[in-house]
Amino acid sequence: MAEPVGGLFGDFGGRFVPEPLVPACEELEAAFRSAWDDEGFRGELNQLLADYAGRPSPLTECHRLSEEMGLRLLLKREDLNHTGSHKINNVLGQALLAVRMGKSRLVAETGAGQHGVATATAAALLGLECVVYMGEVDMERQALNVFRMQLLGAEVRSAVSGSRTLKDAINEAMRDWVATVESSHYCLGSVMGPHPYPWMVRELHRVIGDEAREQCHHILGSDPDVVTACVGGGSNAIGIFSGFVDGDAALVGVEPAGGAAIGRGVPGVVHGSKSFLMQDEHGQVLEAESISAGLDYPGIGPEHSHLAAIGRARYESVTDDEVVAAFELLSRTEGIIPALEPAHALAWVSRARRELAGQSVLLNLSGRGDKDVDQMMGRLAVDTSTNGDDGRAE
């Protein structure tokens, strides 16, 4: 994947921001370009990724589930990173960059809470003030992660407008950034927003795909036939796609049916860039609906729109019921409780098992399901007071 020319991935991307933020975006682009070319910066980041985040994350072959589905399934275990998801890769890089730029404060947004926890963690590590915006609805369904952020020293502010989910949290974070740009760095959590964010965040997550390709060659002797990942904004998917986009593996992004920006969207501008997004006939952004707070977003990163437009990647959607079934399936067959986000990708693999029969499939398990257990207890009506069965949903 090359650097976007003029901040554009084909017809998508760009920098659509209020005038006060143009200098901040230009400063950030120059700072990232300088840091990324600096062996000292790259060395410091790589050291943190290894000693603090726990990279490289392993590749796990799912023998029982592979036999059940008639294919060969491998998981890239980003759930085993420190803080429990792939988000730490991007955040450590941006936090180091903020220090290099002389910023003393991180502003972030979060849906499922994983990006917020990772940002609060990096801020604590590097001695930075941290404010995280989160939709009021998401704060209720991800209460554990709200407490984790507060425990790490971050201030969590609720977004109470609109659908009170990720989109609205992003709006609030951007307003904060506009007002405090001299001292704050906006630690954006996905491959979206104005240039240089989609490019910068992709480069910081490229490590996922580079590691996975080397690990696949060790296990399979080649690239896998299919590489798949869930897509909201699309950071974990771009991360793993980056390692395979110049090869022959099929790339499949999986969206929630209620937030299928590519499946149901048309090109438009939201949160600083042009991409596919869900909107009505008047151009108003539609509310997304998903069982997963991390994918509850009506748009998608511009590079995904470009990959879809040129036919290099395809994008499927799955329902909440399929996601719940996949969540239970991986837990029971492999002893791995996935976050609801990557359970979307597994739901598609399970549905497409006949199409994929005999093929090797690499799935990016972008986060662990601890944060979703309370939500699933309610959804599955599990009675924790009973001990005489195997704990399955009734």
Side-chain angles (χ1 to χ4, degrees), residues 109-333:
E109 85 300 324
T110 194
Q114 295 293 62
H115 175 62
V117 170
T119 304
T121 299
L125 176 69
L126 299 177
L128 298 168
E129 183 184 350
C130 182
V131 173
V132 180
Y133 289 88
M134 192 170 188
E136 190 175 46
V137 170
D138 294 338
M139 289 182 70
E140 292 173 1
R141 57 181 172 176
Q142 295 294 340
L144 175 61
N145 274 339
V146 172
F147 178 69
R148 291 172 72 194
M149 286 183 269
Q150 293 170 335
L151 194 63
L152 290 160
E155 178 186 352
V156 184
R157 296 180 182 174
S158 62
V160 297
S161 60
S163 59
R164 297 172 294 146
T165 57
L166 179 58
K167 171 177 68 68
D168 311 293
I170 294 171
N171 290 338
E172 294 298 331
M174 283 194 160
R175 289 190 188 101
D176 187 318
W177 189 34
V178 171
T180 64
V181 69
E182 291 298 322
S183 61
S184 299
H185 169 68
Y186 180 18
C187 189
L188 213 160
S190 195
V191 285
M192 45 170 286
H195 180 65
Y197 280 105
W199 166 54
M200 178 176 68
V201 177
R202 178 248 278 171
E203 289 301 291
L204 292 170
H205 280 307
R206 177 188 287 273
V207 64
I208 304 172
D210 290 344
E211 282 178 11
R213 191 171 202 183
E214 182 177 346
Q215 292 165 324
C216 282
H217 282 220
H218 178 70
I219 294 174
L220 302 173
S222 66
D223 287 353
D225 296 308
V226 178
V227 179
T228 185
C230 65
V231 177
S235 63
N236 90 92
I238 280 292
I240 200 160
F241 286 180
S242 295
F244 300 92
V245 73
D246 62 347
D248 296 325
L251 307 179
V252 182
V254 183
E255 303 179 296
I262 288 183
R264 297 171 53 190
V266 295
V269 173
V270 69
H271 293 142
S273 66
K274 180 183 177 184
S275 192
F276 279 102
L277 71 148
M278 293 169 42
Q279 51 191 312
D280 64 19
E281 66 272 22
H282 304 294
Q284 297 298 310
V285 178
L286 296 173
E287 303 292 354
E289 295 181 3
S290 171
I291 192 174
S292 164
L295 304 183
D296 206 346
Y297 183 64
I300 191 170
E303 192 164 14
H304 283 292
S305 293
H306 174 59
L307 291 174
I310 64 174
R312 180 60 189 95
R314 64 188 256 209
Y315 293 82
E316 302 282 347
S317 63
V318 294
T319 66
D320 287 351
D321 287 343
E322 289 177 301
V323 172
V324 172
F327 179 89
E328 292 186 284
L329 179 65
L330 189 63
S331 301
R332 292 176 186 166
T333 57

Side-chain angles (χ1 to χ4, degrees), residues 47-113:
Q47 196 72 46
L48 281 179
L49 291 174
D51 297 344
Y52 190 73
R55 302 208 72 87
S57 64
L59 207 65
T60 298
E61 182 158 8
C62 300
H63 295 286
R64 292 189 64 217
L65 188 51
S66 293
E67 182 177 356
E68 180 173 326
M69 294 199 293
L71 47 82
R72 192 170 182 183
L73 178 65
L74 299 103
L75 303 179
K76 180 60 174 167
R77 299 296 305 279
E78 292 297 294
D79 59 314
L80 297 182
N81 293 338
H82 181 44
T83 71
S85 78
H86 71 293
K87 296 291 188 182
I88 195 71
N89 309 319
N90 166 47
V91 164
L92 286 175
Q94 288 202 47
L96 283 178
L97 189 62
V99 172
R100 184 181 171 106
M101 295 169 66
K103 309 288 185 180
S104 61
R105 181 173 182 265
L106 296 181
V107 177
E109 85 300 324
T110 194

